Structures are given as structure tokens and as C-alpha cells.
Amino acid sequence: MNQQNGTTGANSSTVGNVLNTDPDEGSRANTESIIRGRAAEILAFIKAKDMESLAQAVHPDKGVRFSPYGYVNKEKDLVFTADKVRQLPSDNTVYVWGSYDGSGEPIRLSFADYYNKFVYDKDFLNAKEVGYNQVLGKGNSLINIADVYPEAKFVEYHFPGFDPQYNGMDWVSLRLAFEQKSSKWYLVGVIHDQWTI
């Protein structure tokens, strides 16, 4: 598996029409290029809150799961279909997205509030590090992305920290997981991660 670390930001020239690209099964490098481009494209949709474009990238059978922390909880993390993703900007429903780290209290937020806290809380398009199928942010929580999404490839956007006094304990990551269907790569997971107690 070709793992790369230290890539900065997103390269719009690799975005193109990657959804419809049929990768050569024997070429991991080609697959990595396609997934990295797809992730950059989708992250741009997320930043712009372009939910119509994001919905078109959502897996048609599995939908997309939103996970507030690195441990993906298949029972509690919410899964939305493409049609539901299109409606999220106008959806004021308060959902339970899981439990807050530390307190264990339910995460009761509208999508808009969840987005601001657990999706695009940092400018991930300009992340300090970008990894392909490589976990960059590691804290105390179990990272089970490979167990929950065994067929997936993922890209992680990572900031190693912001304030030197915290010695890196204020790191934050966003992982986008993709699975292939009929030669197309679709979004199945949006996984936010940060230091947990």
C-alpha cells in the first residue's frame, strides 16, 4: 500500500471527473490518485456547504455515516441517504449524533450545529498533513475505520496542533471514507477526530 504523508492542501487540478474514472485494479498508485482527487473535491463541497453536489457523491446503497470521533459506532452514528443529505441545510431537526467524549452526554445538535463542531470546524482544505489510508491523528480512542469499512479507502486531513502550550493535544482530523460500486468511488463515512480523554 502506497502511503504518503505531508502533502499540503488540496490540488484542484486533480479533481476533474474522477467519480466516473474506472481505475486499473492492478494499480494502487492510480487508485490513490483517484481517491485523493475525489476527497479534495468532496471536501470542497463540504466547505462550501454544497449539499446538492455532496449528495451526488454519497453511496447509493449505504448512504454516508457521520462519526463525531475516531471510533465509528455502527449502532449510534447517524447514516443519511443522498436524498436526506440534500435536505440537511434546511433541516432544523435536533438529532442525537452519539455521546460527548468525557461526559458521555448525548450529542444533541441540528445538522448545522453538528457541522460547525464535528465536520468542518477547521479549514481542512488547508490541512497541514494529508494521509492516504493512514491514520495521522492518534489519541486515546480506538480507531476502527478498517473494521467498520473493510472495503474502503480513506483520506485524512490533519492538523497536528495549534497552541504550543498543549503539546499537540489540540490536534484535529477529518477522515473521508470511500467505497467502490460499479467502478465509481462513493462517500460512505465522514469521521471527525480529535484528542479524547
Side-chain angles (χ1 to χ4, degrees):
M1 187 167 299
N2 185 6
Q3 296 181 346
Q4 292 183 358
N5 186 1
T7 306
T8 349
N11 184 350
S12 59
S13 67
T14 63
V15 176
N17 219 356
V18 291
L19 178 63
N20 295 316
T21 304
D22 184 5
D24 174 24
E25 289 295 321
S27 172
R28 284 179 291 203
N30 187 43
T31 300
E32 177 176 346
S33 175
I34 290 166
I35 299 297
R36 281 182 178 269
R38 190 69 182 133
E41 183 179 43
I42 287 174
L43 194 59
F45 297 154
I46 291 172
K47 180 177 182 176
K49 299 182 181 178
D50 181 354
M51 304 309 277
E52 178 60 39
S53 295
L54 182 64
Q56 293 176 34
V58 169
H59 196 288
D61 304 324
K62 299 182 178 182
V64 58
R65 177 184 288 111
F66 288 88
S67 303
Y69 299 109
Y71 179 79
V72 178
N73 188 321
K74 292 198 292 189
E75 285 72 44
K76 294 185 178 180
D77 294 348
L78 299 183
V79 178
F80 294 97
T81 63
D83 285 341
K84 187 61 179 173
V85 167
R86 285 186 183 88
Q87 299 166 15
L88 285 174
S90 59
D91 185 355
N92 294 319
T93 305
V94 174
Y95 295 97
V96 177
W97 301 86
S99 303
Y100 284 105
D101 171 62
S103 72
E105 292 295 315
I107 301 173
R108 297 183 191 277
L109 297 170
S110 65
F111 175 75
D113 291 336
Y114 180 86
Y115 170 95
N116 290 329
K117 188 168 181 64
F118 291 109
V119 178
Y120 210 83
D121 57 324
K122 302 294 182 193
D123 187 13
F124 290 110
L125 265 178
N126 292 300
K128 296 289 185 193
E129 300 172 357
V130 178
Y132 172 75
N133 273 356
Q134 179 182 19
V135 174
L136 302 176
K138 296 175 184 172
N140 292 333
S141 68
L142 175 68
I143 307 295
N144 64 341
I145 188 168
D147 297 327
V148 176
Y149 304 108
E151 303 299 318
K153 310 288 185 195
F154 71 92
V155 176
E156 176 168 346
Y157 296 88
H158 177 68
F159 287 101
F162 300 92
D163 190 331
Q165 70 174 330
Y166 295 119
N167 295 316
M169 292 175 68
D170 56 343
W171 65 268
V172 63
S173 288
L174 188 69
R175 299 180 190 110
L176 302 179
F178 301 88
E179 288 186 11
Q180 195 175 34
K181 176 183 169 65
S182 302
S183 81
K184 300 178 185 179
W185 289 94
Y186 291 99
L187 184 68
V188 291
V190 176
I191 304 154
H192 182 273
D193 202 3
Q194 64 193 51
W195 182 266
T196 52
I197 298 169

